[in-house]
Amino acid sequence: MTTPIELSIPLPRSVDTRIYMQLTIKSKAITLFLTTASAEEAGAPPPMGSLVYALPDKYAPSQPLSTALFTVEPTLEFTTRMAKLIAKKTRLPTYVGNSISFASTGLGGTVEEEMEAFKQVAELVLSNLQHVINPVKGQSNGTETRGQSNVSDHLSSLIGATSI
């Protein structure tokens, strides 16, 4: 059993709210759970958000397939985009659960605030998946080997190219 990696970053444009992440990397799948919490909400459990399953399409590698297993409309688009991005980069089936709330951001969750959060989460998650994305020579991640890529260089194009 793989030990989950627990990470957190400040919610962009928010005073005291953080995004918490739990990333689990298995040999055949990746799971990522995202939520937000502020100092006042420390003891309260967050509400359930969307859960999306994405997998790479061997016939169209640039367009992973996805299905929503549980939907909560305010979190569905972010969750689907994140699941597809991870599936595309790792070429592994990916489960993403997300209950991030943008209510405490400076403007209450504008598109720019959501995209800034998406970019920060994606950079942190993909940096923790580098050994899966670019396996050490001679080792396999269970998929075909890929050339070296820089997460920051490709992230902007992937965010725009990953559609629902």
Side-chain angles (χ1 to χ4, degrees), residues 2 5-6 10 15 28 34 57 65 82 86 91 98 106 110 113 116 121 128 134 141 149 157:
T2 305
I5 301 167
E6 295 184 349
V15 178
K28 301 284 184 192
L34 305 164
D57 183 350
L65 306 170
M82 186 63 64
I86 295 169
R91 297 183 186 175
N98 172 30
T110 64
E113 290 170 330
E116 188 176 342
V121 169
N128 279 277
N134 299 311
N141 68 350
S149 65
S157 63

Side-chain angles (χ1 to χ4, degrees), residues 16-161:
D16 66 345
T17 303
R18 296 188 67 80
I19 298 173
Y20 293 94
M21 297 166 256
Q22 184 181 53
L23 175 66
T24 305
I25 306 163
K26 302 277 187 176
S27 63
K28 301 284 184 192
I30 294 171
T31 59
L32 173 66
F33 294 99
L34 305 164
T35 192
T36 50
S38 64
E40 305 89 52
E41 302 168 333
M48 178 73 171
S50 297
L51 178 63
V52 173
Y53 174 68
L55 68 157
D57 183 350
K58 67 180 180 178
Y59 300 110
S62 65
Q63 292 297 318
L65 306 170
S66 69
T67 188
L69 302 174
F70 185 81
T71 61
V72 175
E73 196 56 42
T75 63
L76 184 58
E77 181 180 348
F78 188 101
T79 310
T80 301
R81 290 174 59 114
M82 186 63 64
K84 284 183 167 188
L85 175 66
I86 295 169
K88 179 179 178 179
K89 292 296 285 178
T90 63
R91 297 183 186 175
L92 289 172
T94 302
Y95 294 88
V96 176
N98 172 30
S99 61
I100 291 177
S101 170
F102 292 97
S104 64
T105 56
L107 298 173
T110 64
V111 172
E112 292 81 15
E113 290 170 330
E114 287 192 36
M115 290 307 296
E116 188 176 342
F118 185 90
K119 182 178 179 183
Q120 289 181 12
V121 169
E123 285 177 345
L124 184 58
V125 169
L126 293 176
S127 71
N128 279 277
L129 290 171
Q130 281 303 304
H131 67 285
V132 176
I133 295 169
N134 299 311
V136 176
K137 192 171 185 172
Q139 294 181 349
S140 172
N141 68 350
T143 66
E144 64 189 61
T145 19
R146 300 171 51 144
Q148 296 292 322
S149 65
N150 185 330
V151 173
S152 299
D153 291 344
H154 297 292
L155 188 58
S156 297
S157 63
L158 291 174
I159 290 171

